[in-house]
Amino acid sequence: MLALPPRLEALQPEPVERLIEAGGPVLVLLGVVAVVVFALAIERWWFYRITWKIARRRLVRRWAARRDHRSWSAHTLRDVWAQELVARLRRPLPWLKLLVALCPLLGLLGTVTGMITVFDSLALSDTHQARAMADGVARATLPTLTGMAIAVVGLLFISRLEHVIRREDQRLHDRLAQALEEDHA
């Protein structure tokens, strides 16, 4: 490794570097997946807090402005509009589920490759030191721990998002029906 000037040496992220060294390339991949999962979570929060409410208001106004509310085609149109809007809220859910399911598997991959490295290094050395093996096993299990932690947090977010989607779907239908009641009152 290159020697850095004292000022830049203080800025060097040693703990992160050691963590990556301990977990291997799979830990870096898990870091990338975690960033994508949390970026999708933040994007969904932003969509729900800002864009969703505006789009819901527009749809309710659009429905209330129609002349025909009673025919079969009007009800079908209302359902299609509502489904399209809820689908926008649900859009990244399959990707989130895929990435969350992938995290423990990537962690397991990191552990298996780490254990292969440990056993390989033990086979090459003449001395079978228990301490070196314990250190290698600890390093090898780090990706599994990371993958499980990301998956647990991701599952919590997915569960919350599914709850919000169900609630907002019901609220949307309630507001569409309420718009007609207020119009006829």
Side-chain angles (χ1 to χ4, degrees):
M1 192 160 139
L2 295 171
L4 296 172
R7 285 185 184 166
L8 291 179
E9 203 170 280
L11 297 174
Q12 189 176 7
E14 269 187 46
V16 174
E17 194 174 283
R18 276 193 254 151
L19 189 64
I20 291 171
E21 181 184 316
V26 174
L27 199 61
V28 174
L29 183 60
L30 277 167
V32 169
V33 170
V35 167
V36 171
V37 166
F38 296 123
L40 285 171
I42 290 170
E43 185 274 334
R44 280 296 92 183
W45 177 83
W46 182 265
F47 179 85
Y48 172 67
R49 291 287 179 199
I50 308 294
T51 311
W52 167 259
K53 292 179 181 181
I54 294 168
R56 184 179 60 197
R57 270 188 240 118
R58 281 186 193 149
L59 180 60
V60 170
R61 284 189 204 125
R62 187 176 170 192
W63 173 247
R66 284 183 49 87
R67 288 186 185 159
D68 177 25
H69 294 112
R70 296 179 187 260
S71 70
W72 174 83
S73 61
H75 285 280
T76 303
L77 183 61
R78 183 186 73 179
D79 290 342
V80 167
W81 286 348
Q83 286 173 1
E84 285 175 358
L85 188 58
V86 171
R88 286 180 56 198
L89 188 58
R90 187 177 278 123
R91 189 173 295 149
L93 202 54
W95 287 105
L96 278 168
K97 287 180 177 181
L98 173 73
L99 291 173
V100 166
L102 195 61
C103 284
L105 297 174
L106 286 173
L108 186 59
L109 175 67
T111 297
V112 169
T113 56
M115 292 302 291
I116 289 170
T117 304
V118 168
F119 293 139
D120 198 32
S121 66
L122 285 174
L124 294 176
S125 69
D126 290 334
T127 61
H128 300 286
Q129 296 177 357
R131 188 174 192 168
M133 185 172 175
D135 182 51
V137 169
R139 286 176 174 221
T141 56
L142 187 62
T144 298
L145 173 67
T146 306
M148 294 301 282
I150 296 167
V152 166
V153 173
L155 283 173
L156 290 173
F157 176 73
I158 288 171
S159 173
R160 178 71 180 144
L161 181 61
E162 287 177 335
H163 172 73
V164 166
I165 290 169
R166 282 190 303 273
R167 184 186 68 207
E168 289 302 316
D169 187 22
Q170 185 62 46
R171 280 185 184 173
L172 178 62
H173 283 87
D174 291 347
R175 290 198 179 166
L176 288 170
Q178 203 174 33
L180 292 182
E181 290 172 6
E182 290 172 2
D183 203 35
H184 289 78

